Amino acid sequence: MNPLLAKEATRALLALEDGTTFEGLSVGATGETFGELVFNTSMSGYQEVITDPSYAGQIVAFTYPQIGNYGVCAADMQSDGAALAGVIVCDMCHTPNNWRSEGTLPDFLAQRGIVAIECVDTRALTLRVREAGTMRCAISTTDLDPASLVARVKAAPSIAETNWVAKVSTPEPYDVDAKVDLDRPRRRLRVTALDCGEKRGILRGLIGAGMDVHVVPWDTPAEKILATNPDGVFLSNGPGDPRELPEPAACAEQLLGRVPVFGICLGHQMICQAAGAAIEKLPYGHHGGNQPVMNLLSGMVEVTAQNHNYGLVFDSLGELDAELSGGTEVVDAWHAANTHDLRFWSERRIAPVISTEKFGRIRLTHVNLNDGTPEGIQFLDIPAFSVQYHPEASPGPHDAVYLFEAFRRLMEGVPDYLAIDVREGRRF
């Protein structure tokens, strides 16, 4: 038995769908919770992760050894509550030391009814997920019989069977005014944001780029959005399986070509589905603040924050336009390679273009350098673009924050709106 379990505390049990179990101690609310297991590799920003609505229905295992060491504070909240199903850590800090701290993470979790477990070998757990893929799991302080809890996990519904977006979206529209930049006065643009679980960090990114934002619920029809007379429409991040959300995808399809559109994460997946693409579930997803992504337009590599289990199948959009994709020889080499690994294009510094029936030409703009999955697209014949990752850095690096300014430039009609050098504030 783990010697740490000898201390006085409420016992807890973690059970995985494949039959694996881990003993531990309760460090949140007592009771039990069921959800989809994912691991997050961020070294900090645990409160932003826990309050990110995109984690609804998921139990998050933090790979960093100690969590909670700088406490919690209201300024770091990404939503009003905590939508995730549970938390798994190796070592939970109960005595944080930081001038911003307003309380401990265990108390924060307990007050919000979040079941959590510590003393888990999160290295072994992460390797198990990497080998077996994302799976259902449960944490319980009441059912400590491994066989019983595993059986109940196997009988639990999958995350795709619940509309998590409806649970985390705003019930009513609301408005947030742009931040005024006294050093660079400019026209405030009007943006309508479809809230599928929008993080506050993203909202801050939009208003920081000089946008007045009108936020509407996830199931708002396209015509009602257009009736707000926006300069552009933003499609937000959110939880769950995008293939089970036909309403937002239909809304995106009706918006494309009629108004400038920008999408992040689930919003990106909506746009891809609207363009006729297939969406696949990744083996264990991307969750953390250290994912390298190449911008194919500039050749620069961005270290990005990510949180998604699903992604675009780039080839499903249509056939490559050889003339705009490096020439016939390169396209033939791509087909001969018979691979979906898009690092083929990052190695050649080429942003390939696919011709689609619905919306014309679509260009691949960003590629994940860890696994070669697509991370961003740009429509060449209508004003729209989207990325799979999170540019708002909540938590994570600031490399991709330029995308909010790119959205502004798109609405202003700048032809090369994505060509921004974030280091010097100039075009490439």
Side-chain angles (χ1 to χ4, degrees):
M1 177 183 289
N2 186 334
L4 293 175
L5 300 184
K7 64 183 180 180
E8 291 293 327
T10 301
R11 295 293 182 88
L13 181 68
L14 167 65
L16 277 55
E17 184 178 355
D18 68 352
T20 306
T21 59
F22 295 84
E23 292 182 326
L25 300 177
S26 173
V27 283
T30 56
E32 58 186 21
T33 185
F34 292 77
E36 181 179 66
L37 174 62
V38 298
F39 61 85
N40 186 290
T41 58
S42 296
M43 295 177 67
S44 62
Y46 50 80
Q47 186 180 347
E48 290 92 332
V49 170
I50 290 168
T51 58
D52 180 351
S54 293
Y55 280 108
Q58 295 182 320
I59 294 177
V60 179
F62 287 94
T63 62
Y64 193 70
Q66 186 179 70
I67 298 296
N69 56 314
Y70 55 84
V72 295
C73 70
D76 292 339
M77 297 288 286
Q78 292 299 302
S79 63
D80 289 336
L84 84 176
V87 171
I88 304 166
V89 302
C90 176
D91 177 37
M92 177 67 81
C93 178
H94 295 259
T95 56
N97 184 9
N98 184 274
W99 67 272
R100 296 177 70 245
S101 177
E102 298 169 357
T104 71
L105 181 56
D107 288 344
F108 178 90
L109 295 171
Q111 291 162 7
R112 287 158 180 79
I114 302 300
V115 179
I117 183 173
E118 73 165 331
C119 300
V120 171
D121 184 346
T122 50
R123 294 174 299 178
L125 179 62
T126 299
L127 288 173
R128 192 76 199 105
V129 175
R130 285 182 62 91
E131 292 167 358
T134 302
M135 65 186 87
R136 291 170 293 179
C137 73
I139 305 171
S140 180
T141 63
T142 56
D143 185 353
L144 302 181
D145 178 356
S148 170
L149 194 56
V150 168
R152 294 172 63 208
V153 168
K154 292 180 178 180
S158 73
I159 193 170
E161 295 180 44
T162 299
N163 184 342
W164 294 104
V165 167
K167 293 179 178 292
V168 299
S169 175
T170 179
E172 298 292 338
Y174 65 92
D175 296 287
V176 182
D177 293 337
K179 289 184 178 178
V180 178
D181 187 346
L182 298 178
D183 295 326
R184 185 173 55 165
R186 52 184 177 171
R187 182 170 71 91
R188 289 159 61 170
L189 300 175
R190 299 184 308 277
V191 168
T192 297
L194 188 69
D195 176 17
C196 294
E198 185 175 27
K199 294 170 64 180
R200 287 178 180 168
I202 290 178
L203 189 57
R204 285 195 294 267
L206 294 170
I207 65 175
M211 305 173 204
D212 291 330
V213 184
H214 178 62
V215 183
V216 298
W218 72 280
D219 56 353
T220 304
E223 293 302 328
K224 193 170 182 179
I225 291 174
L226 293 171
T228 63
N229 194 29
D231 293 305
V233 173
F234 172 71
L235 305 180
S236 88
N237 63 295
D241 187 341
R243 300 169 298 187
E244 301 298 325
L245 295 167
E247 298 92 339
C251 178
E253 183 176 3
Q254 295 166 35
L255 292 170
L256 289 170
R258 301 173 70 181
V259 64
V261 177
F262 174 37
I264 289 176
C265 203
L266 179 62
H268 163 75
Q269 296 159 4
M270 292 180 215
I271 290 172
C272 293
Q273 289 184 102
I279 300 295
E280 65 178 347
K281 186 167 187 178
L282 304 179
Y284 43 82
H286 300 160
H287 309 276
N290 49 7
Q291 293 277 337
V293 169
M294 175 176 282
N295 182 328
L296 298 177
L297 303 181
S298 68
M300 294 181 65
V301 176
E302 305 163 15
V303 179
T304 68
Q306 304 205 5
N307 175 25
H308 60 98
N309 273 5
Y310 300 85
L312 161 69
V313 180
F314 181 63
D315 290 352
S316 67
L317 281 167
E319 294 296 323
L320 285 170
D321 184 319
E323 183 179 352
L324 298 176
S325 304
T328 302
E329 184 176 336
V330 173
V331 171
D332 288 345
W334 164 251
H335 289 309
N338 191 29
T339 177
H340 293 295
D341 189 337
L342 298 177
R343 286 174 291 191
F344 174 96
W345 301 103
S346 63
E347 292 166 0
R348 291 160 177 78
R349 303 295 192 271
I350 294 172
V353 175
I354 279 179
S355 296
T356 70
E357 295 182 3
K358 287 184 178 181
F359 299 111
R361 300 166 300 164
I362 299 178
R363 177 161 62 189
L364 178 70
T365 57
H366 297 80
V367 170
N368 188 299
L369 298 184
N370 277 346
D371 61 8
T373 52
E375 294 282 1
I377 60 172
Q378 176 189 22
F379 291 71
L380 299 183
D381 298 312
I382 62 172
F385 76 108
S386 59
V387 292
Q388 182 62 76
Y389 55 98
H390 285 259
E392 77 283 352
S394 296
H398 293 80
D399 296 20
V401 72
Y402 71 91
L403 291 170
F404 294 109
E405 188 65 27
F407 184 32
R408 180 184 180 89
R409 287 166 49 127
L410 173 65
M411 290 185 284
E412 292 174 335
V414 178
D416 57 348
Y417 60 91
L418 275 174
I420 300 175
D421 187 332
V422 294
R423 298 168 302 176
E424 302 176 25
R426 60 171 173 78
R427 297 182 185 182
F428 292 109

